[in-house]
Amino acid sequence: MATQERMASVDALWFHMEEPANLMMITAVLFFEGRVDFERLRTETRTRLVDRYPRFRQRVVLGRLGLPQWEDAPDFDLDAHLLRLPVPAPGDRAAQEALVSEWMSTPLERSRPLWQFHVLEGAQGGDILLARLHHCISDGIALARLLLSLTDGDATDAVPPREHTRASSSGLARWVRGARAVAGTARTVLRKSAELAAEPILAGDLLRQGALSAAALGKLMVITPDPRTPLRGPLGTQKRAAWSSPIPLERVKVVGRALGGTVNDVLLAVLTGALRRYLEARDVPPEDLHALVPVNLRPMDEPVPRELGNRFGLVFLRLPVHIEDPRRRLHELSRRMGLVKKSPEAVVTFGALGLLGYTPAPVERAVVDAFGTKASLVATNVPGPRQPVSLAGVTLRELTFWVPQAGHLGLGVSLFSYAGQVTVGVAADVLRVPDPHVLIQNFHEELDSLSEAAAQQA
């Protein structure tokens, strides 16, 4: 009988949450400047991913009481996970997005390890690597770093993963270990304080504010549901993906310097304005909406995760959609972000997610869905390498990725910075946002407005 290992509770939560209309799958799209050497990519994938991390050669089976377990796949075949796929002619952006959308709507095969790569060949501009990985393997930050560890850059100097230790039967013990890890993250953040403006939301030294945790949990429980808008409602099984042309990161920094705000503040303020435009065009009153924002609880100076699994918290960021003036909107967004960074909310949700993983699947779904009613979208902002990297000898041109929209949310927006540029990615349920390009166009228009305001300020 194959040796089985119980899935960690927080990872089991994401495994149980999957439904046909709400796949718990992280999707990444990497664009290259030419043709990828497939055999070289195959070698890199085996040596840097499959041989290094057992999860990539393990499947999930259900044990007693339906609890998910990891076990080595007896018939693991790399060729079933790394495939070539032609992009339909003419290979333009529309053809690329249609193909990515199709696979974003397709569940992973559960009888195999829960990941799959496709090299999309024949795309205008160069080959594309489409990666789909189940959230139960790890969180989006870790998996993005893992994908970048395949490239020929600093990330290749990977630290070998720690030897796995069997999960403790005590939920409290697991939470304490997680809390210690967060404390380590906090120290890392303090050492890197000069770089925080260019980073996504980080936990900060949250554990020193442990006395505020009860208040933070109370705040989470009393957040009222978001207003009914076209962004919220029943979901279908068809998803659509779209992404922007690269935006110069320096342009975003100029706005932040002129008007006061970090890169993260500016990008989220622009997203807020894009949502306002979207709602106004549909005759919907522009009321404030909550974005569910993942908060990284891993050390930012760890180039490749030492171990997989989900190590992140969640915060509800109230976007000031009601504010019409772009400058005032940015200032208010920055103020609210400041409050979020000082709150222990992310640590509280990290512990809550871990404890939820020990409850029956119907209870998990009910609680996560209840939290889902309090938000209208998932928003992520992840920094990638500052210098260009290459994979299998081909330069990576740009990258975007999406995390699942848990809680039956129908919209996910990704902001990914790489080599001095930012790519905006939108993943949407067809019933909620049938044309995600509209949101991307709105984003560009809002950035123009904020850039004009910054020029006037100067």
Short mmCIF file of all heavy atoms in Angstrom, two decimals, residues 9 27 30 37 56 59 95 109 118 131 158 170 219 257-258 276 297-298 325 332 360 368-369 444 446 456:
data_model
loop_
_atom_site.label_atom_id
_atom_site.label_comp_id
_atom_site.label_asym_id
_atom_site.label_seq_id
_atom_site.Cartn_x
_atom_site.Cartn_y
_atom_site.Cartn_z
N SER A 9 -4.25 21.28 7.08
CA SER A 9 -5.64 21.72 7.16
C SER A 9 -5.94 22.90 6.24
O SER A 9 -6.97 22.92 5.57
CB SER A 9 -6.00 22.08 8.61
OG SER A 9 -5.19 23.16 9.07
N THR A 27 -3.58 30.22 -12.08
CA THR A 27 -3.24 30.22 -13.50
C THR A 27 -2.20 31.28 -13.77
O THR A 27 -2.36 32.43 -13.36
CB THR A 27 -4.49 30.50 -14.36
OG1 THR A 27 -5.51 29.53 -14.05
CG2 THR A 27 -4.16 30.40 -15.85
N LEU A 30 3.15 33.08 -19.00
CA LEU A 30 4.48 33.65 -19.19
C LEU A 30 4.72 33.82 -20.69
O LEU A 30 4.60 32.86 -21.46
CB LEU A 30 5.56 32.74 -18.60
CG LEU A 30 5.62 32.61 -17.07
CD1 LEU A 30 4.52 31.69 -16.55
CD2 LEU A 30 6.98 32.08 -16.62
N ASP A 37 12.81 26.19 -26.18
CA ASP A 37 13.38 24.86 -26.42
C ASP A 37 12.63 23.87 -25.52
O ASP A 37 12.86 23.80 -24.31
CB ASP A 37 14.87 24.87 -26.08
CG ASP A 37 15.57 23.55 -26.39
OD1 ASP A 37 14.90 22.49 -26.33
OD2 ASP A 37 16.78 23.58 -26.68
N PHE A 56 4.73 17.72 -6.70
CA PHE A 56 4.56 17.70 -8.15
C PHE A 56 4.57 16.30 -8.73
O PHE A 56 4.34 16.12 -9.93
CB PHE A 56 5.63 18.57 -8.81
CG PHE A 56 5.35 20.04 -8.66
CD1 PHE A 56 5.74 20.73 -7.53
CD2 PHE A 56 4.65 20.73 -9.63
CE1 PHE A 56 5.46 22.08 -7.37
CE2 PHE A 56 4.35 22.07 -9.49
CZ PHE A 56 4.76 22.75 -8.35
N ARG A 59 -0.35 12.63 -6.00
CA ARG A 59 -1.76 12.88 -6.26
C ARG A 59 -2.50 12.97 -4.93
O ARG A 59 -1.94 12.67 -3.87
CB ARG A 59 -2.35 11.76 -7.12
CG ARG A 59 -2.36 10.40 -6.44
CD ARG A 59 -2.93 9.34 -7.35
NE ARG A 59 -2.97 8.03 -6.68
CZ ARG A 59 -3.41 6.91 -7.26
NH1 ARG A 59 -3.83 6.94 -8.53
NH2 ARG A 59 -3.42 5.78 -6.59
N ALA A 95 -6.71 35.36 -29.97
CA ALA A 95 -6.58 33.90 -30.01
C ALA A 95 -5.90 33.39 -28.74
O ALA A 95 -6.27 32.34 -28.19
CB ALA A 95 -5.79 33.49 -31.24
N GLU A 109 -7.11 17.28 -13.80
CA GLU A 109 -7.46 15.86 -13.66
C GLU A 109 -7.08 15.39 -12.25
O GLU A 109 -5.91 15.36 -11.88
CB GLU A 109 -6.71 15.04 -14.71
CG GLU A 109 -6.87 13.54 -14.58
CD GLU A 109 -8.32 13.11 -14.56
OE1 GLU A 109 -9.03 13.39 -15.55
OE2 GLU A 109 -8.74 12.50 -13.55
N HIS A 118 1.30 24.01 -20.32
CA HIS A 118 1.18 23.95 -21.77
C HIS A 118 2.11 24.98 -22.39
O HIS A 118 2.10 26.15 -21.98
CB HIS A 118 -0.26 24.26 -22.23
CG HIS A 118 -1.21 23.13 -22.06
ND1 HIS A 118 -2.22 23.13 -21.11
CD2 HIS A 118 -1.32 21.95 -22.72
CE1 HIS A 118 -2.91 22.01 -21.20
NE2 HIS A 118 -2.38 21.27 -22.15
N ALA A 131 0.55 27.90 -17.22
CA ALA A 131 0.69 27.03 -16.06
C ALA A 131 -0.59 27.03 -15.26
O ALA A 131 -1.15 28.10 -14.97
CB ALA A 131 1.87 27.48 -15.19
N ALA A 158 18.39 28.11 -5.91
CA ALA A 158 17.31 27.76 -4.99
C ALA A 158 17.86 27.10 -3.74
O ALA A 158 18.85 26.37 -3.78
CB ALA A 158 16.32 26.84 -5.68
N SER A 170 -2.64 18.57 16.32
CA SER A 170 -3.18 19.70 17.07
C SER A 170 -3.28 20.92 16.17
O SER A 170 -2.29 21.43 15.66
CB SER A 170 -2.26 20.01 18.26
OG SER A 170 -2.58 21.27 18.81
N LYS A 219 -14.10 42.81 13.79
CA LYS A 219 -14.30 43.65 12.62
C LYS A 219 -14.65 42.82 11.40
O LYS A 219 -15.53 43.17 10.60
CB LYS A 219 -13.04 44.47 12.35
CG LYS A 219 -13.06 45.25 11.05
CD LYS A 219 -11.68 45.82 10.73
CE LYS A 219 -11.63 46.35 9.31
NZ LYS A 219 -10.27 46.77 8.93
N ARG A 257 5.23 59.71 -6.50
CA ARG A 257 6.09 60.77 -5.93
C ARG A 257 5.39 62.13 -5.96
O ARG A 257 5.53 62.93 -5.03
CB ARG A 257 7.42 60.84 -6.70
CG ARG A 257 8.35 59.68 -6.43
CD ARG A 257 9.76 59.98 -6.95
NE ARG A 257 9.79 60.04 -8.41
CZ ARG A 257 10.12 59.01 -9.20
NH1 ARG A 257 10.41 57.83 -8.65
NH2 ARG A 257 10.15 59.16 -10.52
N ALA A 258 4.65 62.39 -7.02
CA ALA A 258 4.00 63.70 -7.17
C ALA A 258 2.81 63.86 -6.24
O ALA A 258 2.59 64.93 -5.66
CB ALA A 258 3.58 63.91 -8.61
N ARG A 276 -15.08 52.16 -10.75
CA ARG A 276 -16.08 53.23 -10.75
C ARG A 276 -16.60 53.48 -12.17
O ARG A 276 -17.81 53.57 -12.40
CB ARG A 276 -15.47 54.51 -10.17
CG ARG A 276 -16.44 55.70 -10.16
CD ARG A 276 -15.75 56.98 -9.71
NE ARG A 276 -16.65 58.11 -9.89
CZ ARG A 276 -17.50 58.56 -8.97
NH1 ARG A 276 -17.54 57.97 -7.78
NH2 ARG A 276 -18.29 59.58 -9.22
N LEU A 297 2.72 35.95 3.89
CA LEU A 297 3.29 35.73 5.21
C LEU A 297 4.59 34.94 5.12
O LEU A 297 5.01 34.33 6.09
CB LEU A 297 2.28 34.99 6.11
CG LEU A 297 0.98 35.73 6.38
CD1 LEU A 297 0.08 34.92 7.30
CD2 LEU A 297 1.23 37.11 6.97
N ARG A 298 5.21 34.95 3.94
CA ARG A 298 6.51 34.32 3.77
C ARG A 298 7.59 35.40 3.74
O ARG A 298 7.32 36.53 3.36
CB ARG A 298 6.57 33.54 2.45
CG ARG A 298 5.62 32.36 2.36
CD ARG A 298 5.69 31.73 0.98
NE ARG A 298 4.74 30.65 0.83
CZ ARG A 298 4.98 29.39 1.13
NH1 ARG A 298 6.18 29.06 1.58
NH2 ARG A 298 4.06 28.47 0.98
N ASP A 325 -12.93 62.45 -7.60
CA ASP A 325 -11.67 63.08 -7.93
C ASP A 325 -10.52 62.07 -7.78
O ASP A 325 -10.35 61.48 -6.71
CB ASP A 325 -11.42 64.28 -7.03
CG ASP A 325 -10.10 64.95 -7.33
OD1 ASP A 325 -10.02 65.65 -8.37
OD2 ASP A 325 -9.13 64.75 -6.56
N GLU A 332 -7.25 58.84 -0.11
CA GLU A 332 -8.10 58.03 0.78
C GLU A 332 -7.68 56.57 0.72
O GLU A 332 -7.65 55.87 1.74
CB GLU A 332 -9.56 58.19 0.39
CG GLU A 332 -10.53 57.35 1.21
CD GLU A 332 -10.50 57.65 2.71
OE1 GLU A 332 -9.98 58.73 3.10
OE2 GLU A 332 -10.98 56.82 3.49
N PRO A 360 -15.89 19.96 8.59
CA PRO A 360 -16.45 19.29 7.41
C PRO A 360 -16.55 20.25 6.23
O PRO A 360 -16.73 21.46 6.40
CB PRO A 360 -17.83 18.84 7.88
CG PRO A 360 -17.71 18.75 9.38
CD PRO A 360 -16.76 19.83 9.77
N VAL A 368 -16.72 30.30 4.16
CA VAL A 368 -16.01 31.04 3.11
C VAL A 368 -17.01 31.81 2.24
O VAL A 368 -16.76 32.96 1.84
CB VAL A 368 -15.14 30.10 2.27
CG1 VAL A 368 -14.53 30.85 1.08
CG2 VAL A 368 -14.04 29.51 3.12
N ASP A 369 -18.15 31.21 1.94
CA ASP A 369 -19.16 31.91 1.14
C ASP A 369 -19.70 33.12 1.88
O ASP A 369 -20.00 34.15 1.28
CB ASP A 369 -20.30 30.95 0.77
CG ASP A 369 -19.89 29.95 -0.30
OD1 ASP A 369 -18.79 30.12 -0.87
OD2 ASP A 369 -20.66 29.01 -0.55
N HIS A 444 -6.42 51.84 -17.97
CA HIS A 444 -5.53 52.74 -18.71
C HIS A 444 -6.03 54.19 -18.66
O HIS A 444 -5.23 55.13 -18.48
CB HIS A 444 -5.42 52.28 -20.16
CG HIS A 444 -4.54 51.08 -20.36
ND1 HIS A 444 -3.19 51.10 -20.12
CD2 HIS A 444 -4.84 49.82 -20.77
CE1 HIS A 444 -2.68 49.91 -20.38
NE2 HIS A 444 -3.65 49.11 -20.78
N GLU A 446 -7.91 55.59 -16.34
CA GLU A 446 -7.74 56.12 -15.00
C GLU A 446 -6.29 56.48 -14.72
O GLU A 446 -6.00 57.49 -14.07
CB GLU A 446 -8.23 55.10 -13.96
CG GLU A 446 -9.70 55.18 -13.67
CD GLU A 446 -10.11 56.53 -13.10
OE1 GLU A 446 -9.41 57.06 -12.21
OE2 GLU A 446 -11.14 57.07 -13.54
N GLN A 456 -0.01 68.29 -13.17
CA GLN A 456 -0.51 69.57 -12.68
C GLN A 456 0.07 69.89 -11.30
O GLN A 456 0.37 71.05 -11.00
CB GLN A 456 -2.03 69.57 -12.65
CG GLN A 456 -2.68 69.46 -14.01
CD GLN A 456 -4.19 69.25 -13.91
OE1 GLN A 456 -4.76 69.21 -12.83
NE2 GLN A 456 -4.82 69.07 -15.07
#
